[in-house]
Amino acid sequence: MKQLFTEKTIPAFAAVVFGIIAITKFILAARFPLFIDEAFYWLCAQHPAPAYIDHPFMTAFLVKLGTGILGNTYLGVRFVFLILGCLLPFFITRLARPLVGRDAWLAGAASLTLPHFACMGMLAMPDVPLTFFALLALIFFERATRNSDMASWILLGISFALGFSTHYRFIGVVAGMLLYLVLTKNGRKYLKKKGVWLSFAIGAVGIVPVILYNINNEFQSIKFQFLDRHPWTFQPIALLQPVKQALMVTPFLYVSLILILIVSINKARRGNDRHALIACFSFVYLAGYFFIGFWTDQKNASVYWTWPGYLPLVVFLPDLLKRLYKKSQNRNT
């Protein structure tokens, strides 16, 4: 068994797993009817606009693109989302490569053990492109803060623009990166260079459609997202958020990923810059949304808004599992 899973065979094994899951997702997505939210996004796609009452244009645009290829069918509505969802494990692998080396493919495969992540793309929902552009931005940000090349900063800016064209919640991606730039020695160095500011300037282009829509519609979208849908009163029931998160991620993986976050924070405090980058990004999502969850829409905010925060932590999951396995072996000998 040890000879079966070698450094050379693991990428091929992971690709087979990715392929089987992708085929299964396409078959299922072509068969079951649209959910009410998907039907709403399909309706939006019939009336192209720079933004809509609850989101910018990207989701409707992707639905329009898919139905333009495969017609007004279940698979047509979900087609582009399926493609994006199937690419996500490869993005995890790409993010992991400079951080964990040969374990990168294991990290990509490990990401599919997260139920929500494995199913992503089967529904035409904004969280699919939101996660796609969040990971894309994180890949370019990691590369830019490691190599300091202008091309990475420009590509990061484009990712920002696409992310802001997808959902307001993309602000969490930028907040996590800003935390790294402000708190770390390496990050503060880049604040003095033009690359990071150029990426923010390019990213601001993605906010323009939302601004134009709100100006022309009495700021209905902003009112809906930040006022109408939230009670803005303290809700003690939000203390149950970790339980809900554990059920969504699965208890074992939830505990493992939180442990990885704690370890990354400790390594960051000791000067490990790459762990600091991952820790800042994940901390904003997991701790930030936990905090605001006490005042926001409990039906949605506590369930899946934190999702992008778990994904970078998966990069270090294979190493944690290896350590746990070695400890169990040592105890048995």
Side-chain angles (χ1 to χ4, degrees):
M1 183 63 69
K2 291 183 178 179
Q3 293 180 349
L4 178 62
F5 296 104
T6 65
E7 186 175 347
K8 293 182 179 180
T9 61
I10 285 176
F13 172 77
V16 170
V17 173
F18 297 168
I20 293 173
I21 293 177
I23 292 172
T24 303
K25 287 162 66 172
F26 268 85
I27 293 173
L28 293 175
R31 296 180 65 85
F32 57 79
L34 300 182
F35 284 81
I36 187 170
D37 287 353
E38 293 178 290
F40 170 71
Y41 296 131
W42 175 85
L43 184 61
C44 291
Q46 310 312 304
H47 305 278
Y52 302 88
I53 183 63
D54 68 336
H55 59 90
F57 69 87
M58 185 60 70
T59 302
F61 170 76
L62 297 180
V63 171
K64 187 71 172 178
L65 182 61
T67 55
I69 297 173
L70 297 179
N72 290 311
T73 62
Y74 300 152
L75 186 58
V77 171
R78 297 164 175 149
F79 180 63
V80 179
F81 297 84
L82 282 163
I83 293 176
L84 297 183
C86 291
L87 289 174
L88 292 177
F90 294 98
F91 277 31
I92 294 291
T93 300
R94 178 62 186 84
L95 174 64
R97 188 169 294 122
L99 301 176
V100 297
R102 62 184 182 181
D103 281 348
W105 279 102
L106 286 175
S111 69
L112 293 173
T113 62
L114 301 172
H116 186 67
F117 191 72
C119 297
M120 190 163 282
M122 292 177 63
L123 300 179
M125 302 292 285
D127 287 270
V128 180
L130 177 66
T131 304
F132 182 88
F133 295 130
L135 279 176
L136 190 65
L138 190 56
I139 289 170
F140 291 131
F141 185 69
E142 190 281 327
R143 193 169 74 183
T145 55
R146 177 167 43 86
N147 296 335
S148 190
D149 62 300
M150 187 57 67
S152 295
W153 289 114
I154 292 173
L155 292 170
L156 174 62
I158 295 173
S159 302
F160 282 166
L162 295 171
F164 280 124
S165 298
T166 301
H167 205 287
Y168 291 93
R169 281 187 278 115
F170 192 79
I171 191 66
V173 174
V174 180
M177 295 177 182
L178 280 173
L179 187 65
Y180 167 83
L181 292 172
V182 172
L183 290 185
T184 67
K185 180 179 179 180
N186 189 54
R188 290 191 294 272
K189 176 183 69 176
Y190 285 106
L191 286 175
K192 301 176 182 179
K193 299 183 179 182
K194 61 182 180 180
V196 64
W197 299 107
L198 177 61
S199 66
F200 288 145
I202 296 173
V205 175
I207 306 175
V208 173
V210 171
I211 294 175
L212 292 176
Y213 174 87
N214 278 281
I215 291 175
N216 294 326
N217 293 274
E218 301 178 345
F219 296 92
Q220 292 180 6
S221 183
I222 289 179
K223 290 178 181 178
F224 171 77
Q225 287 289 350
F226 299 101
L227 296 175
D228 298 342
R229 69 182 300 181
H230 304 294
W232 295 118
T233 56
F234 186 78
Q235 305 169 89
I237 195 174
L239 290 170
L240 295 176
Q241 285 188 60
V243 177
K244 295 179 181 179
Q245 293 291 313
L247 292 175
M248 180 185 72
V249 179
T250 71
F252 174 77
L253 289 176
Y254 178 77
V255 173
S256 298
L257 294 176
I258 295 300
L259 179 60
I260 290 171
L261 175 59
I262 294 172
V263 171
S264 290
I265 292 174
N266 288 332
K267 288 186 176 181
R269 294 176 63 185
R270 295 196 297 267
N272 190 311
D273 184 72
R274 297 297 87 180
H275 274 274
L277 186 150
I278 297 299
C280 286
F281 185 90
S282 294
F283 181 82
V284 164
Y285 267 97
L286 301 184
Y289 280 124
F290 173 77
F291 177 75
I292 66 172
F294 285 100
W295 290 272
T296 55
D297 173 18
Q298 278 297 300
K299 183 178 180 180
N300 298 306
S302 63
V303 178
Y304 60 87
W305 285 15
T306 57
W307 190 252
Y310 295 109
L311 298 179
L313 300 174
V314 175
V315 167
F316 302 113
L317 183 58
D319 180 66
L320 174 66
L321 297 179
K322 286 180 181 179
R323 292 176 183 272
L324 293 175
Y325 177 75
K326 288 181 179 178
K327 287 184 178 180
S328 66
Q329 290 294 99
N330 292 335
R331 290 175 182 174
N332 294 332
T333 57

